[in-house]
Amino acid sequence: MNFKTFFVYGLKLAALTLIMFICFAIAASAVGMGNDPAQTQTQAEQASGALLLLLVCLLNTLVLAYLVLRSRWGGVKLMATIFVVFYGVMTVMSQIESAVFITKLPSGMLQKLFLMGALIAAPFAILAVLILGKRKTEPDEEPNTRLLMPVRAWAWKLGVLVLAYVVLYFTFGYFIAWQNPAVREYYGGTDTGSFFAQVADISSNQTWLVLLQMLRGLMWIALALPVIRMLKCAWWEAALAIALLFTVVMNAQILLPNPYMPETVRMTHLLETATSNFIFGSLAGGLLAYR
């Protein structure tokens, strides 16, 4: 890549970062977020929040732009795919957790968050494909055999991945998040004394939580499939792309302060989910893309 090409792509990435930043601002205003007079901020807090949001937009843009540029698809098909994975990872997967565990959200807040996510993802997906020059699908030099495998292979791979997700979720949840007293106090929980005792207690008294995480594991896999299918790269690069998608786009927003979760709880969750999502994304991408 020569300097001119590098400079042009740099400008495009900067433009997309600014576009996402504007999308966040417009979407928040459209759904009525930040209009609570009780949540007034000083100028310093507003400036700090704006810089953090700009950082979140930059991180998201880098990952999503990479997916666009490495895609064999283009046009409406690619726009729809980027929207689904962006909205699915950033909003749907994270707000499922909010709906289950955060009981302090005001009435109607969850619906606003889901709508806000859609209002951000839709215009960004369209503009990213157009700005990065992927208006048309590139002709394949050879048939795309990604994800073409026997039913038996699908069965054991899905089984392994769902089990892996559940194990990672509860392992990192206990050894990272649950070891912080502030996290236990925030959720009103207790430590049973050991990982296996905690798992036994959840399995007996919160079986629904295990089933929910199995469902979420399948949902994560569903979000990975179109990305694996569209990428024109080696299997290990597809695995890395999925890992970055699940890690960055899911967790970058945790950097943003909010009045419903203390900073120490947010930062603990950031460490917990960033590490577990990266491992699971790498495993899911590698296992499904490798032939």
Side-chain angles (χ1 to χ4, degrees):
M1 181 182 292
N2 57 40
F3 176 78
K4 180 180 179 181
T5 304
F6 181 83
F7 181 72
V8 169
Y9 275 116
L11 288 179
K12 290 182 177 182
L13 291 174
L16 286 172
T17 300
L18 181 59
I19 287 170
M20 187 181 293
F21 183 88
I22 294 172
C23 287
F24 264 95
I26 294 175
S29 178
V31 302
M33 298 284 286
N35 294 333
D36 187 351
Q39 298 174 10
T40 56
Q41 293 181 318
T42 65
Q43 289 186 345
E45 289 173 335
Q46 292 176 350
S48 176
L51 287 175
L52 282 174
L53 177 57
L54 193 62
L55 174 61
V56 169
C57 293
L58 174 61
L59 294 173
N60 286 340
T61 296
L62 291 174
V63 173
L64 295 169
Y66 179 79
L67 297 183
V68 172
L69 292 172
R70 294 295 285 158
S71 172
R72 54 167 46 93
W73 297 344
V76 175
K77 186 177 183 179
L78 182 56
M79 293 174 186
T81 302
I82 295 300
F83 168 76
V84 168
V85 297
F86 186 18
Y87 181 64
V89 173
M90 180 183 71
T91 302
V92 176
M93 297 306 295
S94 62
Q95 299 311 329
I96 288 176
E97 294 278 274
S98 299
V100 173
F101 295 111
I102 302 180
T103 59
K104 301 176 183 178
L105 290 176
S107 177
M109 178 61 70
L110 202 59
Q111 294 88 327
K112 290 181 178 180
L113 291 172
F114 274 98
L115 178 57
M116 179 178 168
L119 294 176
I120 294 168
F124 180 84
I126 295 170
L127 292 173
V129 172
L130 295 177
I131 290 173
L132 293 173
K134 300 289 287 187
R135 293 173 176 82
K136 296 181 180 180
T137 298
E138 298 180 11
D140 281 331
E141 298 179 358
E142 56 185 32
N144 182 8
T145 59
R146 281 274 166 82
L147 300 179
L148 300 181
M149 64 185 87
V151 174
R152 183 176 180 180
W154 272 108
W156 76 259
K157 288 185 179 185
L158 290 178
V160 167
L161 289 175
V162 169
L163 177 61
Y165 181 76
V166 173
V167 170
L168 287 169
Y169 179 87
F170 287 110
T171 301
F172 280 77
Y174 179 77
F175 287 107
I176 296 180
W178 216 237
Q179 299 310 303
N180 185 342
V183 173
R184 296 198 301 270
E185 180 182 358
Y186 178 75
Y187 293 109
T190 58
D191 187 356
T192 56
S194 73
F195 171 71
F196 293 107
Q198 192 81 8
V199 170
D201 179 66
I202 292 172
S203 300
S204 300
N205 302 315
Q206 293 179 292
T207 307
W208 62 268
L209 181 56
V210 179
L211 296 176
L212 174 64
Q213 299 314 322
M214 292 175 68
L215 175 61
R216 290 186 76 231
L218 288 172
M219 293 174 69
W220 279 118
I221 295 168
L223 289 168
L225 294 180
V227 178
I228 294 171
R229 180 71 178 166
M230 78 179 188
L231 289 178
K232 51 177 183 179
C233 58
W235 69 268
W236 60 266
E237 188 178 342
L240 179 60
I242 297 297
L244 291 175
L245 174 67
F246 287 1
T247 303
V248 175
V249 178
M250 170 70 173
N251 296 287
Q253 59 192 322
I254 301 178
L255 293 170
L256 301 173
N258 70 77
Y260 309 110
M261 183 177 289
E263 182 178 1
T264 181
V265 177
R266 284 192 295 109
M267 293 300 102
T268 302
H269 278 314
L270 177 63
L271 176 60
E272 170 207 358
T273 56
T275 49
S276 61
N277 279 13
F278 187 86
I279 295 172
F280 179 73
S282 302
L283 179 61
L287 191 61
L288 294 170
Y290 181 76
R291 289 179 61 86

